[in-house]
């Protein structure tokens, strides 16, 4: 029936896009006080999160995932590697010395865990008001959006 396809209407898709934007804004603004206290912003947060979830990630993979320029990534990496920050560690790959791999330092892990706990609170509250099937379906839809 036609009602089964109402979710495909432009208005519904616009509403979903707006919700995705709002979700990103609120979930990434929650830890802003922690980031500001450490002299970091959203670009640093995205990189720290990516490295935490992918220890030993290659620079080329970061560029692909974050869709940023080498220049902007280099700036953020430099700021996170400074002696007083010491948030990330860069190592040469054992397989290919031309490849640089990024890891969080102990200090970086502590910072990310503080940020994650703040973000996790919002997500857990939402998930607790959902069924297991809703959470699984939500994740599947997000993965399909990213895969396009």
């Amino acid at each position: 029936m036609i009602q089964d396809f109402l979710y495909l209407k432009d208005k519904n898709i616009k509403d979903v896009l707006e919700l995705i934007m709002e979700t990103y804004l609120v979930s990434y603004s929650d830890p802003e006080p922690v980031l500001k206290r450490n002299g970091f912003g959203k670009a640093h947060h995205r990189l720290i999160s990516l490295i935490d979830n992918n220890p030993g990630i290659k620079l080329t993979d970061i560029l692909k995932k974050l869709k940023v320029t080498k220049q902007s990534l280099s700036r953020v990496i430099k700021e996170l590697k400074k002696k007083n920050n010491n948030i990330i560690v860069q190592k040469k790959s054992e397989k290919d010395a031309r490849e640089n791999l990024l890891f969080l330092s102990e200090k970086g892990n502590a910072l990310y865990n503080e940020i994650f706990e703040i973000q996790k609170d919002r997500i857990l509250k939402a998930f607790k008001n959902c069924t297991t099937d809703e959470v699984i379906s939500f994740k599947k839809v997000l993965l399909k959006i990213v895969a396009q």
Side-chain angles (χ1 to χ4, degrees), residues 36-51:
K36 284 183 181 177
R37 183 179 74 232
N38 287 279
F40 300 133
K42 288 182 174 146
H44 302 93
H45 181 189
R46 286 190 297 269
L47 181 57
I48 291 168
S49 296
L50 188 61
I51 296 170

Side-chain angles (χ1 to χ4, degrees), residues 116-130:
F116 175 69
E117 288 301 317
I118 294 167
Q119 289 183 296
K120 182 173 81 171
D121 185 52
R122 178 181 293 277
I123 304 299
L124 275 179
K125 285 177 184 172
F127 280 0
K128 286 178 180 177
N129 289 311
C130 296

